[in-house]
Amino acid sequence: MKVNGAVESLDVEPWVSLLDALRERLGLTGPKKGCDQGACGACTVLADGVRINACLALAVQYDGREITTIEGVAHPLQEAFVRHDGFQCGYCTSGQICSAIGMLAEHTAGMPSAVTEPGAGELSEAEVRERMSGNLCRCGAYNGIVDAIMDVAGKESG
């Protein structure tokens, strides 16, 4: 698989999660093991640009795919999270940022969410909150996270 732009050859057992392969075999500790059940989003990475929970994915499923972890991200969201205090303790931040990048791409592609209004082109705060609902923040930095995403979304759409 290709991880953060580099081709990585891994020999892993079929039951090894993508998260464990990234963290334990490749030393990429940005994706975190929070709940290890796909409920918190701390392990979110991008697979071919699509956000996934790496704890629920088997590494062997991603042979030949492009995986991007926070270590491979260079995106305006990173500065926006700092500017809007959307990171607090930082544990969930890497997953939040990878998820937000994937979420912005989904919105740009016209993929609806549970709160998408028909014909709505603008990304609303309600949309951001719904689309990011799979990523938990134990510190409660949600307002800063939403502000950071809205900041970047406004710059991208304007």
Side-chain angles (χ1 to χ4, degrees), residues 69-86:
T69 68
I70 193 67
E71 291 91 344
V73 168
H75 196 281
L77 275 166
Q78 291 161 299
E79 289 182 14
F81 265 64
V82 172
R83 212 173 28 256
H84 293 281
D85 198 23

Side-chain angles (χ1 to χ4, degrees), residues 35-143:
C35 66
D36 209 21
Q37 298 174 5
C40 74
C43 66
T44 305
V45 299
L46 301 169
D48 296 327
V50 176
R51 58 188 172 155
I52 64 165
N53 289 333
C55 73
L56 296 180
L58 296 174
V60 295
Q61 293 175 284
Y62 291 87
D63 185 30
R65 309 271 301 271
E66 173 75 37
I67 304 299
T68 305
T69 68
I70 193 67
E71 291 91 344
V73 168
H75 196 281
L77 275 166
Q78 291 161 299
E79 289 182 14
F81 265 64
V82 172
R83 212 173 28 256
H84 293 281
D85 198 23
F87 61 93
Q88 295 198 12
C89 86
Y91 194 84
C92 72
T93 305
S94 60
Q96 295 274 2
I97 290 173
C98 285
S99 187
I101 291 168
M103 182 270 300
L104 289 172
E106 291 165 9
H107 180 263
T108 299
M111 294 173 67
S113 78
V115 299
T116 303
E117 294 290 330
E122 297 277 327
L123 189 64
S124 68
E125 285 190 23
E127 279 281 331
V128 170
R129 289 181 188 282
E130 170 62 25
R131 290 172 184 264
M132 293 295 292
S133 64
N135 289 80
L136 303 179
C137 173
R138 290 174 178 92
C139 297
Y142 295 113
N143 291 334

Side-chain angles (χ1 to χ4, degrees), residues 14-31:
W15 55 82
V16 173
S17 72
L18 179 59
L19 178 61
D20 287 342
L22 293 169
R23 290 183 60 82
E24 297 169 11
R25 310 284 172 97
L26 297 178
L28 298 169
T29 57

